[in-house]
Amino acid sequence: MDFPKKITKQLFKRKNILDEDFYSRDTATVARELLGKVLIIGDEESYCGGFIVEDEAYYGLNDPASHACNGATPRSKIMFEKPGIAYVYFCYGNHYLLNVVTEKPTIPGAVLIRAIEPVFGTGEMIKRRQVKDPERLAKGPGNLTKALGIEKSFNGKNMTDFKDGLFIAGFDISDFNNDSKKNEEIISIFKKYNEIKEISSSSRVGIKQGTESMLRFYIKGSRFVSGKN
DNA sequence: ACCACGATGAACT
DNA sequence: GTTCATCGTGGTC
């Protein structure tokens, strides 16, 4: 792979991979804290991914916009299960959308990942998307899954274990302290997301009910966030 | 069994 | 700003 070993090693390090305790909390809190974390698909030999810049929180019975608002159905039952598993569903006849399950088991919740700044394996993403502009590559939940090659077989994957090939990692910027100049560019991106940050919130996108809740979160000013600006 | 509609995106006017 | 492709899901009959 074309990335410094040190970086690959850190991303796949167990202590940096977000675990069940991280996801087993209030959904909006998890959504906020996922901003600036690294979404990775693949293994240490070959992987794609980038930094999460936009997501949305979905709850259960009291959230009319949620798939879980009427209780568990064959599709939504996964939202009631173990925190940290992937909920991937097919939408509008064209798109797969990626969520991470949150809250304690039996309590429904999930965070929809809406956009990343693509950094790792961008060549692969460009191939899948037929789009070159990095700003547009993984902007919007349908574009993001297409760029990363996520489809229905990813539903139910355990995102707290890199063995399932899909996870979200934090990182420790101090590990990159005395690195050579050739890694300067990529390390500056890690620094950028380490120092977040102003988080903005808004109404969620594409829903007709529950629009009063400000449950969409994004990094203010990021060019990789979907929508008008 | 039926059918309206969507946690979208692209291509239009 | 509007339209529309496309099909799985789930509420309704």
Side-chain angles (χ1 to χ4, degrees):
Chain A
M1 193 100 206
D2 47 333
F3 301 111
K5 277 218 165 63
K6 200 165 183 177
I7 284 170
T8 299
K9 205 160 185 185
Q10 176 156 172
L11 292 175
F12 284 79
K13 195 185 283 182
R14 178 166 295 282
K15 80 166 175 71
N16 284 334
I17 295 173
L18 303 184
D19 59 12
E20 211 172 312
D21 288 340
F22 178 91
Y23 296 111
S24 181
R25 296 181 295 155
D26 170 70
T27 307
T29 303
V30 173
R32 283 179 171 277
E33 292 188 19
L34 281 176
L35 296 177
K37 300 290 195 292
V38 189
L39 175 65
I40 298 286
I41 179 166
D43 58 33
E44 286 171 85
E45 303 303 310
S46 173
Y47 60 94
C48 289
F51 293 80
I52 297 172
V53 296
E54 179 188 359
D55 59 22
E56 287 176 354
Y58 287 86
Y59 288 95
L61 293 171
N62 297 320
D63 182 358
S66 172
H67 290 161
C69 70
N70 291 321
T73 65
R75 180 175 64 166
S76 71
K77 68 175 193 288
I78 196 163
M79 288 180 68
F80 295 73
E81 293 171 14
K82 207 167 74 126
I85 59 178
Y87 169 35
V88 177
Y89 75 94
F90 189 58
C91 181
Y92 290 108
N94 293 295
H95 312 286
Y96 294 99
L97 271 58
L98 171 67
N99 299 254
V100 197
V101 173
T102 56
E103 310 275 353
K104 295 183 174 66
T106 76
I107 313 276
V111 174
L112 170 70
I113 313 294
R114 290 189 56 89
I116 62 170
E117 172 173 351
V119 173
F120 310 103
T122 49
E124 202 60 34
M125 296 191 220
I126 289 165
K127 255 191 255 170
R128 294 200 188 96
R129 284 270 290 123
Q130 301 291 311
V131 165
K132 277 193 174 164
D133 180 3
E135 285 187 27
R136 294 171 47 203
L137 213 44
K139 181 190 289 239
N143 288 335
L144 179 145
T145 54
K146 189 173 181 194
L148 296 176
I150 291 170
E151 29 65 41
K152 58 176 177 288
S153 71
F154 285 79
N155 191 41
K157 281 207 187 300
N158 179 5
M159 295 181 70
T160 66
D161 188 339
F162 66 82
K163 286 177 194 141
D164 268 21
L166 180 67
F167 62 90
I168 301 171
F171 52 88
D172 184 352
I173 199 71
S174 65
D175 281 13
F176 301 138
N177 269 344
N178 48 0
D179 260 61
S180 64
K181 243 193 163 129
K182 64 169 185 176
N183 302 333
E184 205 171 26
E185 195 176 326
I186 189 160
I187 288 171
S188 76
I189 299 177
F190 275 92
K191 281 188 179 143
K192 175 170 77 175
Y193 287 102
N194 189 53
E195 285 164 11
I196 301 183
K197 42 273 186 149
E198 274 197 88
I199 294 174
S200 298
S201 63
S202 77
S203 179
R204 291 168 292 184
V205 176
I207 56 167
K208 296 228 164 80
Q209 294 175 52
T211 52
E212 68 286 351
S213 307
M214 307 298 261
L215 290 173
R216 170 173 172 258
F217 304 99
Y218 57 98
I219 295 177
K220 192 177 179 183
S222 170
R223 308 183 314 280
F224 301 92
V225 170
S226 73
K228 310 163 187 78
N229 214 355

